[in-house]
Amino acid sequence: MKKFKNSDLVIPISILVHLVVINGILGLLTPETYFVKYNILYYNFTWLLIAYSVDYYPTNRKEGFFTHIDKTIKLYLVFGLAYFALFGFTGLSYSSLKFQLLVYTLICLCITWYRVIFFWLRNKYRKVGGNSASVVVIGRDSTLKKMRKVFDDPSLGYRYKGYFDDKTSNSPTYLGKVIDCFLYVLENDVDEIYCAASKLNQKELKNLINFADNNLVRVKIIPDNKDVFSRAMSIESYLNIPIVNLRKVPLDTEYSRISKRIVDIIISSLVILGVLSWLSVVLYVLVKLESPGPLYFKQKRHGLKRRTFWCYKFRSMTMSKDADTKMATKQDARLTRLGKFMRRTSIDELPQFFNVFMGHMSVVGPRPHMELHTMEYEVSIDKYLVRHFVKPGITGLAQIKGYRGEIMKKADIENRTRFDIFYVEKWTLWFDIEIILKTAFNVFKGEEKAY
């Protein structure tokens, strides 16, 4: 019987370290509120309960620091609410709200640093052979080459032994026919068997599963994917029937939508009250002095699920009949002198924070296109409409990568769509913050296609 080699102490040690951090900081810095009645029990119980609720501790071999960073943010936010709610529940007085905020921030920083150090040490340990899992593959198909990229990553800790297949091969990783795998697994202390479902029939699969269960070996089935799987897929269970969802979007979850919406409301409110409230008055005078027409330019564009909405901008061009059909170009004759400045500094986009506040747009997301262009690209650009699984944004991943403004060749819209789809599939709040910061940097630095 082989020994079970997974690191069972990782989660208990992490929980212990986190509780030591929380209790140590609170005991040292806030003894007047920490050593009161049942407060100690409350702090520890709420942390464990919230961590369990967000599924914070269970980890898999492929998890890294940023893999489930949304769970970390959720844990900090909810525990923070519980931390400060205690003062309201008990009527406890404290010296300073600012000081309590600093104390809680220190707790979060210490726990985050532990997480950084943990993953750094784990990766180092795995690269020298520690915390490893020996694996073999049964059945060679098109997925084996892709799986090797995972197995050969030293930071993940896999030790790939080779594969079994009834079709013989001269490959150095070929270990023999399928029937030979049973003895090999027992003699070489294999931890995990990856099996290509297309290579075995039902009886052979059952025999393999029974053998693995009786010898403490994990079996993982690689479904016959017909090359249709994507990075956005997920597995869902319908009465124990596994169903592959090929297009799972992070913003499908209610928590993600609400958290993104809260950030949108906060940022748009600050911009509307702090900037647009006075800038609109100034620009109204300047725009009127240079050319007749309204301050705001509005245009129908497609948003979430291809719904049409009015997108607002400060008017940067003279009034024309082709405003809804012709994209702005370099040295565009329609641009006013003030308009050139506004477009170069992206000031013309600021009214879209009204769209964000009203819920038509988000601060970050795929840029919305005019209706005519959407109808053109949805038939000429593969997967173009995937962008519309989320709200459009004032800025986006494609924009900070240089794909903004005029589309001069097909590759421009293809690359823009590729980055937009990546954003849709990999969204996190941290990703949004990173894009916002990069956008602000680009505005001050200046961009070649900002015209």
Side-chain angles (χ1 to χ4, degrees):
M1 183 69 69
K2 67 190 292 296
K3 295 182 179 180
F4 192 67
K5 300 194 299 186
N6 281 355
S7 301
D8 296 330
L9 293 178
V10 169
I11 292 177
I13 290 175
S14 295
I15 293 175
L16 179 62
V17 170
H18 292 163
L19 293 180
V20 168
V21 167
I22 293 170
N23 289 275
I25 291 176
L26 293 179
L28 288 172
L29 301 181
T30 60
E32 71 280 2
T33 56
Y34 178 72
F35 295 105
V36 176
K37 294 183 179 179
Y38 301 106
N39 286 8
I40 297 176
L41 180 63
Y42 174 84
Y43 290 129
N44 288 274
F45 177 75
T46 52
W47 174 267
L48 294 174
L49 178 63
I50 296 167
Y52 173 79
S53 300
V54 301
D55 195 25
Y56 178 71
Y57 286 110
T59 59
N60 60 55
R61 179 166 292 276
K62 297 187 294 299
E63 183 169 347
F65 180 83
F66 291 104
T67 304
H68 293 297
I69 195 68
D70 59 312
K71 292 183 179 180
T72 303
I73 296 172
K74 188 188 300 185
L75 175 61
Y76 289 169
L77 289 174
V78 179
F79 184 65
L81 292 174
Y83 177 83
F84 288 99
L86 178 65
F87 299 106
F89 294 151
T90 61
L92 285 173
S93 60
Y94 50 87
S95 56
S96 166
L97 174 61
K98 184 178 179 181
F99 179 70
Q100 290 292 343
L101 286 170
L102 289 173
V103 169
Y104 183 70
T105 301
L106 180 61
I107 291 174
C108 295
L109 287 175
C110 288
I111 292 175
T112 301
W113 268 113
Y114 168 75
R115 183 177 171 88
V116 171
I117 294 169
F118 167 78
F119 281 109
W120 182 78
L121 289 175
R122 186 205 65 177
N123 292 346
K124 291 288 185 182
Y125 183 53
R126 285 178 173 178
K127 287 180 180 179
V128 297
N131 186 227
S132 61
S134 298
V135 301
V136 296
V137 175
I138 296 179
R140 181 179 184 179
D141 63 5
S142 59
T143 61
L144 181 56
K145 188 175 181 180
K146 298 176 182 177
M147 292 297 296
R148 283 294 303 273
K149 293 180 180 179
V150 176
F151 296 149
D152 293 341
D153 185 344
S155 67
L156 298 180
Y158 289 105
R159 298 294 176 265
Y160 176 66
K161 300 291 187 178
Y163 73 94
F164 296 88
D165 194 277
D166 288 336
K167 184 178 179 180
T168 58
S169 171
N170 294 324
S171 171
T173 57
Y174 176 69
L175 300 175
K177 294 190 176 182
V178 175
I179 193 66
D180 300 325
C181 75
F182 300 103
L183 182 60
Y184 182 92
V185 167
L186 294 177
E187 291 181 344
N188 292 273
D189 204 19
V190 173
D191 298 295
E192 297 178 0
I193 300 173
Y194 289 78
C195 177
S198 60
K199 296 295 182 177
L200 299 181
N201 59 41
Q202 185 180 21
K203 183 178 179 180
E204 289 171 327
L205 273 175
K206 283 188 175 181
N207 288 337
L208 177 63
I209 293 170
N210 290 335
F211 165 79
D213 288 342
N214 289 323
N215 290 279
L216 208 60
V217 180
R218 295 183 185 275
V219 173
K220 299 189 178 182
I221 307 297
I222 306 172
D224 184 10
N225 65 28
K226 299 293 189 296
D227 290 329
V228 298
F229 289 173
S230 70
R231 60 175 175 259
M233 72 177 184
S234 65
I235 305 295
E236 300 173 1
S237 179
Y238 289 51
L239 297 176
N240 295 325
I241 301 172
I243 304 295
V244 178
N245 179 355
L246 293 177
R247 184 59 65 190
K248 183 178 181 180
V249 176
L251 283 166
D252 283 342
T253 65
E254 189 170 357
Y255 163 76
S256 297
R257 289 197 302 271
I258 292 174
S259 59
K260 186 172 173 66
R261 182 63 182 145
I262 290 173
V263 172
D264 283 341
I265 291 175
I266 292 173
I267 293 178
S268 61
S269 298
L270 290 173
V271 173
I272 291 170
L273 295 175
V275 179
L276 290 174
S277 57
W278 59 268
L279 183 62
S280 297
V281 177
V282 174
L283 288 180
Y284 177 80
V285 176
L286 296 177
V287 168
K288 284 290 187 180
L289 287 174
E290 187 168 15
S291 66
L295 170 64
Y296 295 108
F297 169 75
K298 67 176 186 176
Q299 185 179 69
K300 284 187 177 181
R301 299 195 178 186
H302 286 123
L304 178 66
K305 297 181 180 178
R306 210 180 175 279
R307 299 188 187 116
T308 301
F309 70 98
W310 286 106
C311 180
Y312 292 95
K313 301 177 71 173
F314 283 127
R315 184 170 62 85
S316 59
M317 297 182 175
T318 55
M319 304 293 289
S320 63
K321 295 181 179 180
D322 57 3
D324 293 327
T325 58
K326 184 180 178 182
M327 188 177 294
T329 60
K330 197 169 187 177
Q331 306 300 327
D332 198 313
R334 298 173 297 171
L335 283 171
T336 63
R337 284 177 298 175
L338 177 62
K340 290 178 181 179
F341 171 77
M342 287 196 294
R343 296 179 77 92
R344 190 165 59 250
T345 56
S346 298
I347 289 175
D348 64 315
E349 308 283 0
L350 290 178
Q352 286 164 40
F353 282 101
F354 288 118
N355 289 117
V356 173
F357 187 80
M358 292 185 290
H360 302 141
M361 294 177 64
S362 178
V363 175
V364 181
R367 284 292 297 161
H369 295 142
M370 62 180 74
E371 289 183 303
L372 183 66
H373 288 165
T374 298
M375 290 185 283
E376 175 188 342
Y377 297 143
E378 69 185 8
V379 296
S380 62
I381 303 300
D382 188 37
K383 301 183 187 297
Y384 174 81
L385 286 181
V386 172
R387 305 165 74 254
H388 294 273
F389 276 114
V390 300
K391 289 180 182 179
I394 296 176
T395 185
L397 180 62
Q399 280 62 49
I400 67 171
K401 294 296 183 179
Y403 294 98
R404 60 165 291 174
E406 184 182 7
I407 296 172
M408 295 182 285
K409 53 185 182 295
K410 189 175 182 180
D412 291 337
I413 186 61
E414 288 177 337
N415 287 322
R416 184 179 296 188
T417 302
R418 178 167 57 87
F419 280 117
D420 286 339
I421 292 175
F422 183 87
Y423 170 81
V424 169
E425 294 176 343
K426 297 296 182 180
W427 174 88
T428 64
L429 274 178
W430 179 251
F431 202 6
D432 274 2
I433 294 170
E434 184 181 347
I435 292 172
I436 291 171
L437 293 176
K438 180 65 175 176
T439 300
F441 175 78
N442 287 348
V443 168
F444 288 106
K445 184 186 71 171
E447 294 182 87
E448 182 182 351
K449 297 190 72 174
Y451 54 80

